[in-house]
Amino acid sequence: MTSDLAQRREAVLGPNVPTFYDDPVHLVRGEGVWVWDADGRKYLDCYNNVPHVGHCHPHVVDAITRQASTLNTHTRYLHDGIVEYGERLCAKFSHEISQLIMVCTGSEANDIALRMAQAVTGKTGFIATDNTYHGNTLATAQLSTRRPPIGGYPRNVRLVPAPDSVRPVGGSLDGQADAFASNVAQAISELEAEGCGFAGFMFCPSFANEGFPSLDRGFLDPTVDVIRNAGGLLLCDEVQPGFGRSGTGWWGHDWLGVQPDVVTVGKPMANGHPVASVLTRPDVMKAFREAFGYFNTFGGNPVSCAAAMATMDIIEQDSLIDNARDVGAYALDRLHNISHPLKAEARGQGLFFGIEFVQDDGAPATEFAANVVEQMRQRGVLMNRIGRDMNTLKMRPPMPFSQDNADFALTLLEDVISETPI
């Protein structure tokens, strides 16, 4: 049945549309932190951050249903939902961020963030890390590193070496922050020499796709100084760490200790309903609105706003940020206690954690990590891999993930790691 569906899928969607796992999972139902496949098998979801407050949360489902049966239209008519949600979301930010544009995807949000930086600076050059992902529009794909753009990276883009807690930029953990800043400064000089100028630096505050390295608060401070002195904007992509996943507050940039000019949010914002947003200061918004005509038919529609509002209700009512802090610390402690000859580092923050594996000679243990992920799937736990060489286990469960869930997953992980051939 699964193979037949996979063949039909490829026939209608085309080639190279990836699925997870060698034996793809055919999901048919979800509830909380659990999902079920077409054969009735139950899996613990340790990967998906989109169902942020749990799969099919009844409060969110009810909010979507009620609003969809009442009104759904675009924002060229007045409706309460976008104003009430916008006020509530903006109140979660400091440093003068008080206005937003609602869209449907993180890619759209990041694309607008880039244009905001262009509008403010009058320049077109951007910097990101060399192992990241910020979306799949033309502009954001040129900052992402999954596949190089056709014709190569454009002259207005520079990618700097990503921070790494196993192989630090500059050769040492103590010197990594300054080395990273130095590379950003060099990239700015190159953009200015190209005639593009420097408009902004786009980054994820947890450097999630880079492999979520262990970094200290303040790591980015030298880089921020370089960017501010060059007149560029800090464009903070909170699509993965946002809405409390770190367990230290609502936003990853607050923990990191930086004050971005533009913040983008997405995936977990409405628990699976396609909602995203760009948030910024009034001066940045004014520059953008004067430079670009922008309208999004579906962004900020009443149903999307209802879904996002209900998701925020549950984050607050169920103290899910505190849960991320407590359960994440417990899970990370268990990961630290796992012993294995290929284990390089256990790391994470809140409900985003994993282990990096390397060979004795320092080469990434990519195949080993892949085999662990496959065995976990076969035994009923969904997780995946991340990082430059895909040799770091990635566990990023829905926010209601409990200590009992962590015990279930990590006890199984200990068994799988010990049984997987090196």
Side-chain angles (χ1 to χ4, degrees):
M1 181 178 177
T2 299
S3 61
D4 177 61
L5 183 61
Q7 291 173 3
R8 290 169 54 203
R9 181 180 190 268
E10 182 170 349
V12 72
L13 299 182
N16 298 321
V17 182
T19 57
F20 291 140
Y21 314 115
D22 293 340
D23 180 15
V25 184
H26 177 188
L27 294 180
V28 297
R29 184 166 69 91
E31 181 180 342
V33 298
W34 300 94
V35 290
W36 285 261
D37 69 15
D39 296 322
R41 185 174 184 188
K42 184 179 181 182
Y43 298 85
L44 179 62
D45 186 356
C46 292
Y47 180 78
N48 288 293
N49 69 326
V50 176
H52 195 59
V53 299
H55 289 274
C56 302
H57 194 288
H59 182 63
V60 181
V61 172
D62 181 62
I64 292 171
T65 303
R66 282 187 289 106
Q67 186 60 56
S69 65
T70 303
L71 173 70
N72 200 28
T73 187
H74 56 70
T75 55
R76 285 184 173 170
Y77 300 101
L78 297 178
H79 71 84
D80 295 334
I82 191 170
V83 176
E84 292 174 356
Y85 181 72
E87 290 170 343
R88 187 175 180 186
L89 180 60
C90 288
K92 303 298 182 187
F93 289 85
S94 55
H95 39 268
E96 301 178 42
I97 288 181
S98 61
Q99 294 183 347
L100 83 170
I101 297 172
M102 292 189 70
V103 294
C104 304
T105 70
S107 295
E108 290 176 294
N110 283 334
D111 193 274
I112 291 172
L114 298 176
R115 284 190 274 172
M116 285 181 169
Q118 291 177 335
V120 170
T121 65
K123 300 179 179 182
T124 61
F126 292 101
I127 300 170
T129 79
D130 66 348
N131 186 33
T132 191
Y133 174 75
H134 291 296
N136 54 30
T137 66
L138 178 61
T140 58
Q142 292 172 344
L143 293 180
S144 302
T145 53
R146 288 184 174 179
R147 294 184 183 180
I150 293 174
Y153 287 99
R155 58 193 288 270
N156 69 319
V157 168
R158 292 293 184 278
L159 303 178
V160 298
D164 191 317
S165 46
V166 173
R167 297 160 297 275
V169 176
S172 73
L173 290 173
D174 289 342
Q176 181 168 218
D178 287 333
F180 186 80
S182 178
N183 287 334
V184 171
Q186 177 61 34
I188 292 172
S189 295
E190 293 174 7
L191 290 170
E192 294 292 344
E194 281 278 5
C196 310
F198 171 55
F201 171 65
M202 181 165 279
F203 69 103
C204 166
S206 63
F207 295 94
N209 285 290
E210 292 86 339
F212 57 97
S214 296
L215 302 173
D216 293 330
R217 178 180 170 84
F219 165 80
L220 213 58
D221 287 357
T223 299
V224 171
D225 289 342
V226 167
I227 291 167
R228 296 293 189 215
N229 289 336
L233 270 62
L234 281 168
L235 312 174
C236 181
D237 181 345
E238 288 273 2
V239 169
Q240 291 200 67
F243 292 92
R245 179 158 295 276
S246 70
T248 59
W250 281 85
W251 314 114
H253 64 266
D254 286 331
W255 172 83
L256 193 58
V258 301
Q259 297 185 4
D261 302 288
V262 182
V263 177
T264 58
V265 293
K267 294 185 197 303
M269 186 174 175
N271 215 50
H273 197 78
V275 185
S277 186
V278 193
L279 300 106
T280 191
R281 300 188 310 267
D283 62 300
V284 177
M285 184 68 80
K286 182 175 184 293
F288 171 78
R289 290 296 190 182
E290 290 177 349
F292 296 96
Y294 184 83
F295 170 67
N296 189 306
T297 299
F298 298 108
N301 70 78
V303 173
S304 293
C305 292
M309 187 75 86
T311 301
M312 192 176 289
D313 289 343
I314 301 304
I315 295 172
E316 294 179 339
Q317 293 170 14
D318 292 357
S319 301
L320 292 183
I321 298 176
D322 291 343
N323 184 70
R325 177 196 64 209
D326 297 341
V327 176
Y330 175 81
L332 185 57
D333 185 62
R334 284 206 55 170
L335 290 179
H336 282 312
N337 289 326
I338 291 177
S339 178
H340 190 275
L342 300 186
K343 178 185 174 185
E345 183 181 43
R347 58 179 179 261
Q349 187 178 45
L351 288 178
F352 198 146
F353 46 82
I355 300 175
E356 181 172 350
F357 295 100
V358 299
Q359 303 285 354
D360 290 341
D361 61 0
T366 301
E367 184 177 358
F368 177 82
N371 290 336
V372 169
V373 168
E374 294 294 338
Q375 283 301 308
M376 291 293 285
R377 171 259 186 269
Q378 292 295 335
R379 300 192 195 188
V381 172
L382 303 182
M383 55 185 294
N384 221 297
R385 301 175 290 143
I386 198 67
R388 188 184 304 278
D389 298 295
M390 301 297 284
N391 61 321
T392 300
L393 302 182
K394 178 182 181 181
M395 305 180 76
R396 186 192 55 184
M399 293 281 279
F401 196 76
S402 69
Q403 185 170 311
D404 286 344
N405 298 146
D407 282 332
F408 178 88
L410 298 181
T411 297
L412 180 60
L413 180 62
E414 290 173 339
D415 293 341
V416 167
I417 288 173
S418 67
E419 296 167 11
T420 300
I422 294 177

